[in-house]
Amino acid sequence: MKPTLLILAAGIGSRYGGIKQLDQFGPNGETIIDYSLYDAIRSGFGKVVFIVRQEIRESAEVIFAPKLEGKIAFDFAIQGVQSYVPEDLGKVDRLKPWGTGHATLCAWPKTETPFAVINADDFYGRDAFATMADFLTNDTNEKQHAMIGYELKRTLSENGTVSRGICVERADHNLESVVERTKIFEENGAIYFEENDIKTKLAPETPVSMNFWGFKPGMFPITKDLFETYARENIDTPKAEFYIPTVMTHIIKNGLGDCRVFRSSSDWFGVTYPEDKPAVQASLNALHTAGIYPEKLW
């Protein structure tokens, strides 16, 4: 069966100041998701699942359904704050979704094949989709997962701090560890992350996760158990987030599987702040001009 693509599109976009996953960036008003969809279809994915909040589900369907009809199967999964929260905890007092690991879990009922997970607001490039589609289609080891790793220096924003999964890779090209760092920035030609007011320097070539993961379906029950524990421990912390790297770290450390790191030297780009938009628009225009994408995607 062809692999499934899960698109994380339920974020609020607090730093961007709006619903960036539905904003227009391409020369014909394309969203960044449009480029991911186009690359996924020509790379061999067989289904797309949009993970959204209930408030934007209708808008997402209006935008994307006409483009995908007849080209690829698609569906929508809702990430709600109560989704998969143990019933005995009652109503959760929070507005923000529970994070990327929780979002992935919310797509479980819609996903029957090996699958990839991506952010809605990141541009990854065709090579990344082709690499991941090939892995998910041909690797039959149910405990072997994968990720696309980008060089840290190619993933920064000139307009503020960014969050990245900092990776350590083993000699066999499998992931040893990944830690989500939520405040990474460049200062005087060097790159740092800051935590508890302490700055730590990072090498520019450090591989980072941009949330382009490839999983086998056995990941879902592991994620469910982990999230239920996490929800119990953080029920009174309204900004706590359950990240995909938390799940992957658990899988690796407990011998439940491995994660192959596929290195990419491509220039990733995406939007974190409103000021990022002109640069993204210019990059996409250049790709159309170079013939990497047709004049119109759809």
Side-chain angles (χ1 to χ4, degrees), residues 99-294:
T100 57
H102 177 250
T104 303
L105 179 60
C106 291
W108 188 2
K110 310 284 186 176
T111 311
E112 299 177 351
T113 70
F115 61 95
V117 184
I118 65 168
N119 289 336
D121 52 352
D122 290 337
F123 176 90
Y124 297 100
R126 182 184 180 181
D127 288 348
F129 286 93
T131 296
M132 189 60 78
D134 179 71
F135 166 77
L136 293 172
T137 301
N138 295 306
D139 189 287
T140 57
N141 182 352
E142 288 300 312
K143 294 185 177 181
Q144 182 68 61
H145 311 289
M147 62 161 281
I148 304 293
Y150 290 80
E151 294 180 347
L152 175 60
K153 65 183 179 183
R154 299 178 183 271
T155 72
L156 303 177
S157 170
E158 296 180 353
N159 300 303
T161 63
V162 296
S163 298
R164 301 288 181 257
I166 303 298
C167 301
V168 176
E169 188 179 350
R170 300 198 310 243
D172 63 357
H173 302 296
N174 277 309
L175 191 65
E176 179 176 309
S177 65
V178 55
V179 179
E180 191 80 11
R181 300 298 185 189
T182 58
K183 192 176 181 181
I184 299 175
F185 55 95
E186 188 170 9
E187 183 177 87
N188 298 324
I191 302 173
Y192 301 89
F193 77 84
E194 185 174 323
E195 191 172 44
N196 298 324
D197 296 324
I198 298 173
K199 293 195 301 186
T200 303
K201 193 173 183 179
L202 294 167
E205 292 78 21
T206 299
V208 297
S209 162
M210 301 306 300
N211 262 350
F212 197 145
W213 299 92
F215 289 107
K216 307 298 171 57
M219 173 264 202
F220 282 123
I222 295 171
T223 304
K224 179 178 181 292
D225 290 344
L226 278 177
F227 175 70
E228 288 180 352
T229 299
Y230 185 87
R232 291 186 184 281
E233 294 174 348
N234 293 275
I235 193 67
D236 295 321
T237 309
K239 292 186 177 181
E241 293 195 52
F242 179 70
Y243 296 115
I244 291 174
T246 301
V247 180
M248 184 54 71
T249 297
H250 176 84
I251 289 173
I252 294 169
K253 287 188 174 181
N254 290 277
L256 302 175
D258 282 311
C259 180
R260 172 70 185 271
V261 179
F262 292 104
R263 292 283 195 116
S264 173
S265 58
S266 299
D267 283 328
W268 164 95
F269 55 86
V271 283
T272 302
Y273 302 93
E275 295 82 3
D276 293 328
K277 185 172 182 176
V280 171
Q281 291 174 316
S283 296
L284 291 174
N285 279 326
L287 291 173
H288 283 273
T289 301
I292 296 173
Y293 292 99

